[in-house]
Amino acid sequence: MDLKLSDPSLLKTSAYIDGQWISSDKTLDVIDPHSGRCIAQVAKMGAEQTQQAIEAAEAAFELWRAKTAKERSKLLRDWFNLIMQHEEDLAQILTAEQGKVLVEARGEIAYGANYIEWFAEEAKRVYGDTIPEPSADKRIVCIKQPVGVVACITPWNFPSAMLTRKIAPALAAGCTVVCKPASETPLSALVLAELAERAGIPAGVINIVVGSSSEIGPVLTDSPTVRKLTFTGSTEVGKKLVAACAKTLKKTSMELGGNAPFIVFADANLPSAIEGLLASKYRNSGQTCVCTNRVLIHQSVYDEFTQLLIKAIKERLVLGPGKDSKVTNGPLINTKARDSVAALVNESVKQGATIALGGDTDNLGDCFYPLTVLTDVTNEMPVACEEVFGPVASLLSFSTEEEAIQIANDTNVGLAAYFYTRDIGRVWRVGEALEYGIIGINEGIISNEMAPFGGVKESGSGREGSKYGMDDYLEIKYMCMGGIDQ
Ligand code: NAP
């Protein structure tokens, strides 16, 4: 292990259940995607420990919900402060297990912590309602209450922020949680639990189990005690989880895959669109759910934009190990991911796409895929139909606004979309016509804790962050008071 942390005790390799660190004979290797070396072995939990975690969360729920909103807010705020105090160590851990460059890892720690700060504030603003009565002898009051024990299942691409985005609103609302982080990136989850413990968040409120999804998943989905499942991950797994949750009619929030179009209209500010595209396409080496997947360029600026993009990539982006400060793009998470990107590119090339930059020629390491630009792409090719999840920009062309909207919407998912134009009428027309949950207009970076994040169609349901983000963790209770005029 070559991780050098200011506080080595932040590196936890046990599960966290009911305030206890639980070890096991069975372990799971955590691999550095750059070197391919095992950086830690984490205790693997199974069905029995997951059930224990659910029971711990159930027991803690009554005490946690009984705290005042201000008390919960203070504990969340203390947790946020500790995360920011240890930001550098958390970023080092994240880069080691996930591969993203350190500057992005630091950004993720701060971005994820911002959700805790935000929901610490929102905890105090869970307001109810009084509603005009239907008859003189009645009054209608609505209160909001926590849903109960929440299961959180998260992916490897943002192993810290995807978890805080769920735990923070859940705890602010008064819920307790059982979390299953992705097997590739458990360390970023466990360090959050360590800091929550140091912040004084009581035992059982946050529980983290690491292990096989086929053992842990069914315990979470089938348990009648778990009243809500919040999931971030692939659409394929999301559908299975929704089906499994139907048995107990749990509430679900699904943050699933995308196929983001990035539309460059003829009147766009091209240098600004290039900036937006570099950020939205190549961040985390293309492994974000809101990453641009298809670049739709008006035919009149297609060649010029393509050349500007290739020049910008060559001059500004550097592929390599995430901990190297000169590097802007790290490896993909594992060789399976790399092979999947290569297969999508190769099949699209067979169908007529042209490699204008990159392609399958890199030799930095097993998990690296080169920064790639494909031209002559059509919406039927695999790189356009499927979520590539790699550093490949696929360039399509269009001739009219209607055609751009039609191509953009011609997909079964709808998470993020981007477009660049200087025409205010077009801003409204296109913004309203795109079937997506998040729209970046002349902007490539759209996610922050103050705005609602989530998709439509098969990109899922529910919203994370913003004033709406708490709703998914609350039930509305309507109380009708009668006999008022007696
Ligand atoms: P994934 O394969 O769906 O895995 C996500 C999580 O689900 C992991 O913790 C995984 O555990 C677990 N899991 C897998 N199969 C399961 C099952 N049958 N039952 C219970 N849990 C199960 O997704 P991924 O490859 O890690 O992440 C990439 C996907 O996430 C992309 O599609 C991306 O677009 C999406 N994503 C969406 C958002 C959003 O906010 N909309 C944000 C980030 C990522 P194991 O690791 O143990 O298999």
Side-chain angles (χ1 to χ4, degrees), residues 153-157 162 165 180-184 211 213 217 231-235 237 240-241 255-258 289 387 389 415 453:
I153 303 181
T154 49
W156 47 262
N157 63 343
M162 293 304 99
R165 235 161 63 161
K180 196 215 89 63
S183 296
E184 288 89 347
S213 52
F231 172 71
T232 297
S234 60
T235 296
V237 173
K240 286 185 196 157
L241 291 172
E255 296 286 347
L256 309 178
C289 52
E387 193 182 25
F389 239 55
L415 186 56
F453 191 102

Side-chain angles (χ1 to χ4, degrees), residues 175-205:
C175 301
T176 54
V177 296
V178 178
C179 308
K180 196 215 89 63
S183 296
E184 288 89 347
T185 52
L187 302 175
S188 294
L190 294 168
V191 65
L192 288 174
E194 166 67 17
L195 293 176
E197 186 178 43
R198 291 187 194 179
I201 293 178
V205 172

